[in-house]
Amino acid sequence: MSEFTPVTALVGGTLIGLAAVVLLGGIGRLAGISNITHALLDRQRTRQADEWVWRVVFLIGMIGSTTAYFALTGQTANPRQLDSPLWMIIGGLLVGYGTSMGNGCTSGHGVCGLGRLSWRSLAATLVFMATGAATVFVVRHVVQL
């Protein structure tokens, strides 16, 4: 069971929103992590050096800020240990498929799309949230992993 930390959640959410606003206002790009990462692997979309650079800098900032948080607070990440790596592989494939099918991830739709009042992003976010709630219910009350 995890502990809810409202202050940390508020600060983290604020920083995510601020990063999305700075990226959109600064260079006119959306902070959808799946598309940022996918474009790094797609040479057609990153032919110009500046297209590649901002994406790498953004991802380094995400990883670096997490590393800095843990270093400054002394906290550690305690991910849930699963019995089998197979569940992680299945989960990753499902997330990847859903991201592709939904034309974006939770950050792209939930943060950036809702901020732009996109109906498509609202529908996608509602599906993400309903699927997450159903998954938690099944894992905790039906399968009990």
Side-chain angles (χ1 to χ4, degrees):
M1 182 169 211
S2 63
E3 293 181 33
F4 177 58
T5 54
V7 173
T8 306
L10 180 63
V11 170
T14 301
L15 290 174
I16 290 169
L18 182 62
V21 168
V22 167
L23 190 61
L24 183 60
I27 63 172
R29 299 294 185 173
L30 295 177
I33 307 310
S34 62
N35 285 325
I36 289 172
T37 305
H38 181 262
L40 283 174
L41 304 174
D42 182 1
R43 298 307 297 166
Q44 295 295 326
R45 292 175 64 185
T46 55
R47 286 184 182 220
Q48 298 174 343
D50 60 338
E51 275 295 306
W52 190 82
V53 169
W54 78 261
R55 294 170 194 276
V56 169
V57 169
F58 190 87
L59 292 174
I60 289 172
M62 284 180 51
I63 295 166
S65 62
T66 303
T67 304
Y69 171 79
F70 286 124
L72 293 172
T73 64
Q75 294 184 9
T76 58
N78 295 315
R80 181 173 178 207
Q81 298 297 316
L82 298 175
D83 295 335
S84 168
L86 179 63
W87 284 112
M88 292 175 61
I89 293 168
I90 291 170
L93 290 172
L94 288 172
V95 168
Y97 177 72
T99 298
S100 176
M101 190 171 68
N103 289 325
C105 58
T106 53
S107 57
H109 285 298
V111 175
C112 301
L114 290 180
R116 293 177 29 246
L117 303 177
S118 165
W119 286 104
R120 184 179 84 163
S121 290
L122 176 61
T125 302
L126 290 172
V127 170
F128 296 153
M129 297 302 290
T131 303
T135 301
V136 168
F137 177 80
V138 168
V139 169
R140 289 197 175 170
H141 303 290
V142 177
V143 180
Q144 296 183 354
L145 293 175

